Amino acid sequence: MHIERNLRVAIEQDQLRLVYQPIVELDSGGVLGFEALLRWELPDGTVMHPEQFLGVAEETGLIEPISRYVLDSATRMLAQLQAGAARSPYIAINTTSRQLSSSGFTDEVSNALSRANADPGGLVLEITEQNAIVNTAACRDTLHALRQVGVRIALDDFGTGHSALAYIHKFPLDMIKIDRSFVSGTDSGKASTEALIDTVVAMARILGLQLIAEGVETREQLDRLVAAGCEAGQGWGIARELPADHVPRWLVAH
């Protein structure tokens, strides 16, 4: 009840923020895109992460205005990056089970892109098995409709679900994001962990999907991923999250 009450105030008083974590080519360092990450900045300076409040938002219906805020903010940032640029980075946002099950979500995305005057090809929607499994049939229909709009789809946290391989065949995907637990496992030097990375890289290549490693924190992890042929990655070892107004300057510097 405390979180719900304060979250209502946060929505009314514009305390929600998006920060942007760069996604880069691992071999060259070239910037491919940014993942938009939601933060709640309380008046006392405390910053809350989504796992601390989105569960309450889902239960109370507050997830709807929050989702609209994320979509509108991210598409405006996308339009800003695309303005006057021949090749601009994409923006990736996380989706909820409610959005994926909604017949109106495609129109919401399309309308947000139109309002921002952003190219749909620059928007990536990330789904997780956990969210997709709530209503698989509806999710599949929604994703196919979104692909018709021109949006790209990424399967997030790959390797953490019970049937992640099945979702690669069920859904129209463009990208796979390897969960950070796979990436951190390379530090152990275990042959089994490294073989798993190699296998996922080979599978993505065969299926024509871009592979992104999450949670890259050390040079050793980055080198191992490059050696395995992983194309892209994100994490504190590459770049930390950036406030929205720092993104254009960071792009120029890199």
Side-chain angles (χ1 to χ4, degrees):
M1 290 175 63
H2 176 73
I3 292 176
E4 178 188 357
R5 183 170 60 251
N6 288 338
L7 191 53
R8 291 184 186 278
V9 173
I11 294 169
E12 294 171 359
Q13 298 185 358
D14 195 27
Q15 294 175 10
L16 299 178
R17 299 284 183 271
L18 288 185
V19 294
Y20 296 86
Q21 184 169 49
I23 301 169
V24 306
E25 291 181 329
L26 292 182
D27 57 353
S28 69
V31 182
L32 297 173
F34 295 87
E35 181 179 358
L37 302 167
L38 181 63
R39 299 290 184 262
W40 174 8
E41 298 181 2
L42 278 70
D44 64 2
T46 303
V47 177
M48 294 183 67
H49 289 225
E51 58 269 20
Q52 296 173 279
F53 62 88
L54 280 192
V56 174
E58 287 270 11
E59 293 174 6
T60 59
L62 292 175
I63 193 66
E64 293 186 7
I66 292 174
S67 297
R68 284 195 298 271
Y69 164 78
V70 170
L71 188 56
D72 285 339
S73 297
T75 50
R76 286 197 299 268
M77 173 60 76
L78 178 61
Q80 181 181 346
L81 297 181
Q82 290 175 339
R87 179 179 178 272
S88 60
Y90 60 77
I91 297 292
I93 63 173
N94 296 282
T95 57
T96 68
S97 57
R98 184 183 296 239
Q99 288 173 318
L100 296 175
S101 300
S102 170
S103 59
F105 183 49
T106 301
D107 287 339
E108 289 180 26
V109 172
S110 182
N111 291 337
L113 287 163
S114 296
R115 286 194 299 270
N117 195 27
D119 181 351
L123 182 64
V124 175
L125 298 179
E126 297 189 2
I127 67 171
T128 64
E129 179 184 340
Q130 181 180 1
N131 287 337
I133 203 172
V134 173
N135 190 337
T136 302
C139 176
R140 183 170 58 243
D141 292 344
T142 298
L143 294 180
H144 279 290
L146 287 165
R147 285 286 295 274
Q148 291 297 315
V149 172
V151 171
R152 289 181 284 174
I153 309 297
L155 180 61
D156 197 11
D157 300 336
F158 180 81
T160 60
H162 297 293
S163 55
L165 284 173
Y167 286 85
I168 293 177
H169 294 284
K170 286 182 179 178
F171 297 141
L173 300 175
D174 300 281
M175 306 173 185
I176 300 174
K177 302 188 76 173
I178 308 176
D179 186 67
R180 63 180 60 246
S181 60
F182 276 63
V183 176
S184 62
T186 60
D187 291 334
S188 65
K190 288 185 179 179
S192 59
T193 302
E194 297 192 353
L196 282 170
I197 293 290
D198 292 337
T199 301
V200 175
V201 169
M203 178 193 67
R205 186 175 294 124
I206 291 170
L207 296 174
L209 301 172
Q210 185 181 63
L211 190 63
I212 302 167
E214 298 182 289
V216 181
E217 297 182 349
T218 67
R219 182 71 201 187
E220 291 74 20
Q221 291 171 358
L222 193 151
D223 289 343
R224 178 65 189 90
L225 290 163
V226 170
C230 184
E231 301 172 63
Q234 64 185 101
W236 285 6
I238 295 172
R240 295 198 172 224
E241 299 93 339
L242 303 165
D245 58 349
H246 289 193
V247 170
R249 294 201 302 271
W250 190 91
L251 269 176
V252 171
H254 291 79

